[in-house]
Amino acid sequence: MSWQQYVDEHLMCDIDGNSLTAASIIGHDGSVWAQSATFPQFTAEEITAIMKDFDEPGSLAPVGLHLGGVKYMVIQGEAGAVIRGKKGSGGVTIKKTSMALIIGIYDEPLTPGQCNMIVERLGDYLIEQGL
């Protein structure tokens, strides 16, 4: 299965008539493996800050999580494994695998829990596959 298929079929999937707003699979170095057409243009600095938070949990909390120029308030995640952010009625979930970051962006009516499930389920699968 191609990386684009993972994005199209597993991340941008339909859940109760709703789906993520945008999704991407990005290498730890910031290289895009695959993404939805709606995924925002991000900077290398934003990915560097996200990677730092996985190594030093809590480093993003004081300054916020930035992705595509949008600032999200960092909310509870799993240290070293999952970062979650909230902005208004939407937010972002980022799951780290051994080689990549799985990123899902959502807005209402999709719920934070649904976004977490979509992103983390694929991340867990890729971890099981050694990716």
Side-chain angles (χ1 to χ4, degrees):
M1 183 176 288
S2 75
W3 292 114
Q4 192 61 50
Q5 280 180 291
Y6 281 118
V7 170
D8 296 342
E9 297 173 14
H10 296 278
L11 294 176
M12 298 300 290
C13 61
D14 184 283
I15 297 215
D16 299 331
N18 303 305
S19 66
L20 293 174
T21 307
S24 185
I25 300 174
I26 300 171
H28 288 180
D29 62 357
S31 61
V32 176
W33 293 8
Q35 65 185 15
S36 65
T38 53
F39 199 79
Q41 182 64 46
F42 58 86
T43 66
E45 293 78 19
E46 290 171 336
I47 300 303
T48 300
I50 290 167
M51 288 301 296
K52 179 181 177 190
D53 194 79
F54 281 115
D55 293 333
E56 301 171 27
S59 65
L60 283 178
V63 295
L65 161 65
H66 293 81
L67 188 63
V70 175
K71 180 179 178 180
Y72 296 89
M73 177 179 67
V74 178
I75 55 177
Q76 119 291 339
E78 296 170 36
V82 179
I83 299 171
R84 297 184 182 106
K86 185 90 173 108
K87 177 175 176 55
S89 61
V92 61
T93 301
I94 306 171
K95 170 81 175 184
K96 182 182 178 194
T97 72
S98 58
M99 298 171 62
L101 300 176
I102 315 302
I103 304 173
I105 299 173
Y106 71 94
D107 212 338
E108 286 184 336
L110 202 74
T111 67
Q114 288 171 318
C115 179
N116 296 343
M117 183 186 70
I118 293 166
V119 172
E120 294 176 38
R121 186 175 55 197
L122 179 59
D124 289 342
Y125 170 77
L126 294 174
I127 289 169
E128 288 171 12
Q129 303 305 307
L131 302 169

